[in-house]
Amino acid sequence: MSPTVLMIGYFGHGNAGDDAILLCLESKVTAYFPRSRMVCLDPKRRWWSFLKEVKQADLVIFGGGSLFQNYTSQRSLLFYSAVAILTRYSGKPLVALGQGLGPLKGAFGCWIFKKAQSCFNHFCVRDQVALDSLQSMGLTGRLTADLLYSVAQPKRVLFAPKKLRRLGLAIHGLKKNHIETAAFKAAFQLHKEWQPIVCDKRFDPAYFQQILPKQSASFLYLDTLLALKMQRTDISVLVSMRYHACVWASLLAVPFIAIGADPKIKAIAEEFGCPWLETVNKDTLSEAILSIEQDYQGVQCRMQARLATVMKREKRHNDIVASFFSSTVPFFDYQISKASPDRLVSEMKTWQGRSKVRRIVTFNPEMFMAAKRDSDVAAWIQGADLILPDGQGIVWGVKMLNKVAIRALPGIEFVSYLFQHTSFSFYLVGAAEDVIQQAATCIKASYPHITILGVHSGYFDFEQEAELLLDIESKQPDIVLCGMGFLRQEAFIKVLSERPKTGCIAMGVGGAFDVFSKRIQRAPSWMRDMRLEWLYRGLREPKRVFRWGYMWRYVRVVLITKLRKKRGFVAG
């Protein structure tokens, strides 16, 4: 099954920089999982449509831009904060890549952002200003860079002649802006050769004519420049109040003059050592151009040096994206599988034909607590080839510590999947003689296509164990299922794995043979769907309740670890 990735951002509304970010996100995701299905959230869609997409998603990504801001509208902050909170509530992994931050106005804006930011598994910001803003609110984040830097390739510095050739003017052009207007008029007075660069596909040329009615110009579009993979340009200096136009200039080591009070504009100017003007007129713009012209070669060299640093920061996104497409998730000292059954089967098929016993452990809280008491048990579990989350206890623990929602895969369900969807050969070991024989009969009746090469009860002495091992070695089954209860079945698998001529997959299944023999019924499907199978088993077998003391100890260990991790005492 291909994973589904829901991408959230200001996509599809004509903004060239944001649409280019979407392409970068698509490239990153397909690099790790080419068959992934990608869906973009349209803010104009109804809420129930969005909730449906979140439910189907395996990963939700907030990609680039300054989504969390209330400077232009309170609705933007409320909408994206609500999306983050609802995604977290649904249990889906959530990550923000290359985010700008703010401006945030008012105590309420900061409060709602704090609530939303706490929902992310990873929150990456694109500049030091955004990181400082996070830290000032008592929040943590990771410094990366804008996603557009992922398409960059190191460029040879192209030195301009002593006299500047052409002045670039980045235009938004959706509504009249006094800073942008002042910049255009000042640039026209200072320089005869200039080139307008349009940053929004919705731009109307009539807007330009309103600013400079007597001038005509041919327009370059930023989305076209970005699509050309950052080719060289004859623009010597760019004047811009648009963030991604400045990014484009920095990719080509074209000095730029950032204008406007927006913090992100100031941040990218400081990042690359270029002039920043909060307000602009003929004199301030002339002074900024002159400072670049006097040391053009030095400015370009410094820009290229800083570009290399920024590109390294951007590559941190790759590790984050790759971690979500990994087939395992860390839980204390164990790597818990989060792969779907079909992916597990594909991996198991690669193990066939090798003279080595591969081990699959169905991990539950009881085993976890036993491993806490006995380091040998812990080492045995850690050395398994696959560790499956057997039940809701492990699922809950992983979610508490990693903010990652995984699906429980009880051993009996995975074995049933193997019976139904594979052609592996099996050897059954465990339970009483009559139970294991009846289990084999019922399995063959339900799955006539599979091959059972042998069965043996779980009660045997030393001599019988030697005969059993020889029988398994001679018949060479693909999978040996051991249902003798925790520790005892692990001890048998350990002996089996020490046989040099035995190549199979060994898996402990506990009391699964009692279910396959139909001596014991599983919980109804509605109880399993509500994650209440543990309650059903407790009601049917009240003696089990007295064994549940380990559950409270397990919950205590997880909660204490979560608290210590939150306070910074536990790494990762």
Side-chain angles (χ1 to χ4, degrees):
M1 183 183 296
S2 299
T4 298
V5 180
L6 178 60
M7 293 181 285
I8 297 173
Y10 197 67
F11 306 134
H13 296 279
N15 188 296
D18 290 322
D19 289 347
I21 283 176
L22 179 60
L23 296 177
C24 295
L25 278 176
E26 181 182 1
S27 176
K28 282 189 180 296
V29 171
T30 53
Y32 292 98
F33 213 104
R35 297 179 298 166
S36 57
R37 171 178 172 262
M38 282 165 280
V39 180
C40 290
L41 172 65
D42 184 352
K44 296 181 180 180
R45 295 175 65 180
R46 298 187 182 276
W47 277 102
W48 52 83
S49 177
F50 157 68
L51 292 173
K52 180 180 177 182
E53 294 292 354
V54 169
K55 186 177 180 180
Q56 295 175 348
D58 296 292
L59 174 63
V60 180
I61 299 178
F62 276 59
S66 296
L67 302 181
F68 294 99
Q69 57 87 22
N70 58 358
Y71 182 77
T72 57
S73 170
Q74 194 78 17
R75 292 178 59 188
S76 173
L77 176 63
L78 292 175
F79 174 78
Y80 290 111
S81 296
V83 169
I85 293 168
L86 288 173
T87 302
R88 178 72 181 91
Y89 181 76
S90 68
K92 301 297 183 178
L94 179 63
V95 61
L97 303 181
Q99 278 294 309
L101 181 60
L104 290 170
K105 300 187 299 182
F108 175 75
C110 293
W111 176 82
I112 193 67
F113 170 70
K114 287 181 180 181
K115 293 295 182 184
Q117 199 268 353
S118 65
C119 298
F120 286 84
N121 297 80
H122 297 278
F123 196 89
C124 302
V125 293
R126 63 189 178 190
D127 53 56
Q128 188 63 47
V129 171
L131 185 62
D132 292 342
S133 298
L134 277 181
Q135 293 172 346
S136 68
M137 290 185 278
L139 304 174
T140 58
R142 188 175 184 184
L143 180 60
T144 55
D146 192 274
L147 286 160
L148 284 187
Y149 289 106
S150 65
V151 302
Q153 297 294 330
K155 298 289 182 180
R156 179 174 58 85
V157 175
L158 303 172
F159 299 115
K162 293 182 179 179
K163 187 175 181 180
L164 300 184
R165 293 171 302 207
R166 181 172 292 189
L167 195 67
L169 302 173
I171 306 173
H172 187 215
L174 295 185
K175 58 182 179 180
K176 199 167 183 178
N177 183 291
H178 69 281
I179 297 178
E180 194 174 72
T181 301
F184 291 163
K185 291 181 177 180
F188 175 69
Q189 293 172 7
L190 292 170
H191 209 75
K192 292 184 178 180
E193 293 188 41
W194 40 272
Q195 174 64 61
I197 299 176
V198 179
C199 300
D200 198 295
K201 297 175 184 176
R202 297 167 292 177
F203 169 74
D204 184 357
Y207 165 82
F208 186 79
Q209 294 300 323
Q210 293 174 8
I211 301 174
L212 298 173
K214 297 181 180 181
Q215 302 300 320
S216 60
S218 60
F219 299 100
L220 287 177
Y221 286 81
L222 183 60
D223 59 332
T224 302
L225 296 175
L226 294 172
L228 291 175
K229 301 297 183 184
M230 316 304 168
Q231 297 298 316
R232 62 175 293 177
T233 175
D234 61 352
I235 292 174
S236 302
V237 177
L238 177 71
V239 179
S240 174
M241 63 180 298
R242 308 304 303 168
Y243 182 85
H244 285 113
C246 295
V247 171
W248 171 78
S250 68
L251 288 164
L252 287 177
V254 173
F256 59 89
I257 301 170
I259 59 175
D262 194 335
K264 63 177 180 283
I265 291 294
K266 182 179 179 181
I268 193 170
E270 291 177 349
E271 182 88 65
F272 287 93
C274 291
W276 168 70
L277 304 176
E278 187 171 1
T279 58
V280 62
N281 55 48
K282 181 180 177 181
D283 293 335
T284 56
L285 186 60
S286 175
E287 184 179 345
I289 293 175
L290 183 62
S291 68
I292 292 175
E293 192 172 20
Q294 289 176 342
D295 187 26
Y296 197 89
Q297 180 175 338
V299 172
Q300 282 197 311
C301 288
R302 288 191 293 273
M303 288 183 70
Q304 283 226 317
R306 293 173 184 180
L307 175 62
T309 302
V310 171
M311 289 171 60
K312 288 181 181 178
R313 292 207 320 254
E314 195 285 328
K315 289 181 180 178
R316 296 172 185 171
H317 290 143
N318 298 340
D319 296 334
I320 294 172
V321 173
S323 69
F324 287 101
F325 289 99
S326 170
S327 59
T328 63
V329 59
F331 180 65
F332 291 90
D333 297 325
Y334 311 100
Q335 292 293 324
I336 309 299
S337 173
K338 60 178 182 180
S340 59
D342 58 334
R343 288 185 65 185
L344 294 175
V345 169
S346 298
E347 185 174 355
M348 291 167 65
K349 287 179 179 178
T350 65
W351 298 345
Q352 289 181 287
R354 301 183 183 181
S355 58
K356 177 183 176 182
V357 174
R358 300 277 188 163
R359 296 188 291 110
I360 300 177
V361 171
T362 52
F363 196 47
N364 57 39
E366 184 177 8
M367 296 175 70
F368 175 85
M369 294 309 299
K372 291 283 286 184
R373 296 189 302 268
D374 190 332
S375 59
D376 291 337
V377 174
W380 172 254
I381 296 172
Q382 292 167 15
D385 296 279
L386 279 177
I387 303 178
L388 305 182
D390 184 26
Q392 297 303 322
I394 299 298
V395 170
W396 171 81
V398 169
K399 187 174 181 180
M400 287 294 290
L401 297 184
N402 295 298
K403 295 183 182 178
V404 175
I406 62 174
R407 296 182 177 90
L409 185 58
I412 189 168
E413 291 185 5
F414 185 55
V415 170
S416 298
Y417 183 90
L418 294 176
F419 288 157
Q420 184 173 357
H421 297 282
T422 71
S423 57
F424 289 132
S425 58
F426 295 86
Y427 200 109
L428 313 183
V429 181
E433 184 66 33
D434 57 335
V435 174
I436 193 67
Q437 292 293 344
Q438 185 175 348
T441 301
C442 293
I443 291 168
K444 284 294 294 181
S446 301
Y447 312 101
H449 65 281
I450 70 166
T451 303
I452 297 178
L453 297 180
V455 297
H456 198 287
S457 77
Y459 300 94
F460 45 77
D461 55 25
F462 182 77
E463 293 182 358
Q464 291 173 326
E465 181 183 62
E467 293 175 0
L468 173 59
L469 292 171
L470 284 172
D471 193 41
I472 293 173
E473 192 174 285
S474 63
K475 293 181 177 177
Q476 290 293 311
D478 295 320
I479 300 176
V480 177
L481 301 178
C482 303
M484 296 181 283
F486 176 53
L487 290 183
R488 191 160 178 264
Q489 63 192 20
E490 273 65 35
F492 176 76
I493 292 174
K494 183 177 181 180
V495 174
L496 180 65
S497 64
E498 293 171 351
R499 306 284 291 192
K501 297 181 180 180
T502 303
C504 65
I505 301 169
M507 177 178 174
V509 295
F513 294 135
D514 291 319
V515 177
F516 285 122
S517 65
K518 301 183 180 178
R519 301 280 182 105
I520 295 178
Q521 296 295 321
R522 287 194 73 190
S525 58
W526 66 269
M527 291 193 77
R528 297 201 297 269
D529 292 340
M530 296 179 66
R531 305 174 183 177
L532 294 175
E533 187 169 13
W534 60 272
L535 178 60
Y536 177 85
R537 296 173 70 181
L539 293 174
R540 284 187 61 93
E541 304 174 62
K543 292 182 180 180
R544 297 180 63 91
V545 177
F546 296 102
R547 293 171 46 198
W548 285 356
Y550 67 85
M551 276 302 301
W552 307 114
R553 295 191 294 274
Y554 169 75
V555 169
R556 180 174 176 270
V557 169
V558 172
L559 292 179
I560 290 176
T561 304
K562 179 178 176 63
L563 182 62
R564 289 173 60 85
K565 185 176 181 180
K566 187 174 183 180
R567 292 182 177 179
F569 296 119
V570 178

